[in-house]
Each structure stands twice: as structure tokens, then as C-alpha cells.
């Protein structure tokens, strides 16, 4: 029986480790990630920090992600939170483990304006049977106020 292929999170983490310390490496990594995950790439988030169980991303407030109230759109915030929780979770999983979001709950606390920072710290479970795992990401504005809390339920499955 062949060994399980490297998990997507392991490939993403290896790419991060190769690029993030180079001049322009974080920018390049973030663009490559956006090509790998096209829908999440539409918001143009930048990865600032990435390690198993921890991710920090930034999102600039610009017209492309705004709503009619001159603030960052609710779905752009949900997208940012899901991406952040996913990077924190998936980069810690073993080879062959797969994950997919089955539920997202978003608590909007205030209008999101200006530069935003999203952070997720996640306990990485050992996946020996299919299981549900919650990952929480918080989004902060420049003053440090929480603008949204995203709870993503990930369905994790062990290698076949």
C-alpha cells in the first residue's frame, strides 16, 4: 500500500517556509495561495505568520472588499476568518488527512474599517476516525477592537 500523499496543509506550510523570509516572499506566498484557493484569493489577504495551529493574516480596507456602508463586507470578513482558521488547522494535520468546512458561524461585532488583522490559534487533533473540529478566528481593526469572530467547523478525515 503506498504511503499517503502529503496533506495540502503540509504543502502550504513547506511553501511558506521556503518563501516567507525572502524579500517579497510573504507577498508572493499570499498570491500563490490565492491561486491555489481562488475564491479566498478574491479578497487579497496577506499571510503574516503561519505555523501549525497558528495563522495571522492581514486585509487592507479597499473598494474591492467594501459594502454600501463604506465598511468591509460581511462575506469578505467571513472569507478572511475561514481562510485563517483553515490555514491554522490544515498546516498541523498529518499526511493524508483531509479537511473541509461543514459550517461557519460569524458574529459581527462592529463595522470593519481600515486595516484588519485576523488570527486563529487551533489545537490540532489526532485524526484516526472522521471527526468534526472547531477552529475559531478573530478579526481585529487597527485599534485592536474585535470586529468579527468566526467559528468554522471542519470535517477531518484520516487517510484512506
Amino acid at each position: 500500500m503506498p504511503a499517503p500523499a502529503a496533506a495540502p496543509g503540509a504543502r502550504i506550510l513547506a511553501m511558506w517556509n521556503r518563501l516567507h523570509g525572502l524579500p517579497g516572499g510573504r507577498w508572493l506566498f499570499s498570491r500563490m495561495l490565492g491561486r491555489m484557493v481562488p475564491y479566498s484569493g478574491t479578497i487579497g489577504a496577506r499571510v503574516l505568520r503561519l505555523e501549525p495551529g497558528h495563522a495571522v493574516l492581514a486585509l487592507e480596507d479597499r473598494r474591492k472588499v467594501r459594502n454600501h456602508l463604506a465598511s468591509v463586507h460581511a462575506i469578505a470578513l467571513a472569507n478572511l476568518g475561514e481562510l485563517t482558521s483553515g490555514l491554522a488547522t490544515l498546516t498541523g494535520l498529518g499526511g493524508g488527512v483531509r479537511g473541509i468546512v461543514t459550517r461557519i458561524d460569524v458574529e459581527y461585532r462592529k463595522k470593519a474599517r481600515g486595516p484588519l488583522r485576523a488570527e486563529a490559534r487551533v489545537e490540532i487533533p489526532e485524526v484516526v476516525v472522521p471527526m468534526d473540529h472547531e477552529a475559531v478566528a478573530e478579526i481585529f481593526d487597527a485599534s485592536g477592537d474585535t470586529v468579527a469572530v468566526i467559528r468554522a467547523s471542519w470535517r477531518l478525515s484520516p487517510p484512506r
Side-chain angles (χ1 to χ4, degrees):
M1 180 173 181
R11 291 192 308 269
I12 290 169
L13 189 59
M15 186 171 64
W16 169 259
N17 288 334
R18 279 193 308 273
L19 294 175
H20 82 276
L22 301 174
R26 290 179 185 187
W27 177 87
L28 179 60
F29 173 83
S30 297
R31 297 294 75 78
M32 291 172 67
L33 180 64
R35 301 234 346 143
M36 291 171 65
V37 189
Y39 181 73
S40 292
T42 62
I43 61 172
R46 287 185 341 271
V47 179
L48 303 178
R49 183 179 179 129
L50 183 59
E51 57 194 38
H54 185 217
V56 179
L57 280 70
L59 181 67
E60 292 300 319
D61 180 353
R62 60 195 190 289
R63 188 176 191 284
K64 185 177 180 177
V65 295
R66 283 192 151 210
N67 59 26
H68 65 289
L69 302 172
S71 60
V72 177
H73 196 283
I75 297 304
L77 294 172
N79 189 336
L80 178 62
E82 187 270 343
L83 179 60
T84 305
S85 80
L87 287 171
T89 300
L90 298 176
T91 56
L93 296 174
V97 175
R98 295 167 294 144
I100 188 167
V101 172
T102 59
R103 180 184 177 120
I104 297 176
D105 294 310
V106 184
E107 177 187 346
Y108 300 102
R109 295 192 178 171
K110 75 180 260 193
K111 286 183 184 175
R113 292 192 170 117
L116 302 174
R117 179 180 55 84
E119 183 166 5
R121 288 190 185 274
V122 179
E123 292 286 328
I124 304 297
E126 181 179 354
V127 182
V128 294
V129 296
M131 63 183 295
D132 293 322
H133 183 69
E134 184 178 84
V136 178
E138 290 187 82
I139 302 174
F140 306 93
D141 63 16
S143 66
D145 291 339
T146 302
V147 298
V149 178
I150 294 80
R151 289 174 181 79
S153 294
W154 287 84
R155 183 67 170 174
L156 304 177
S157 299
R160 292 181 188 168

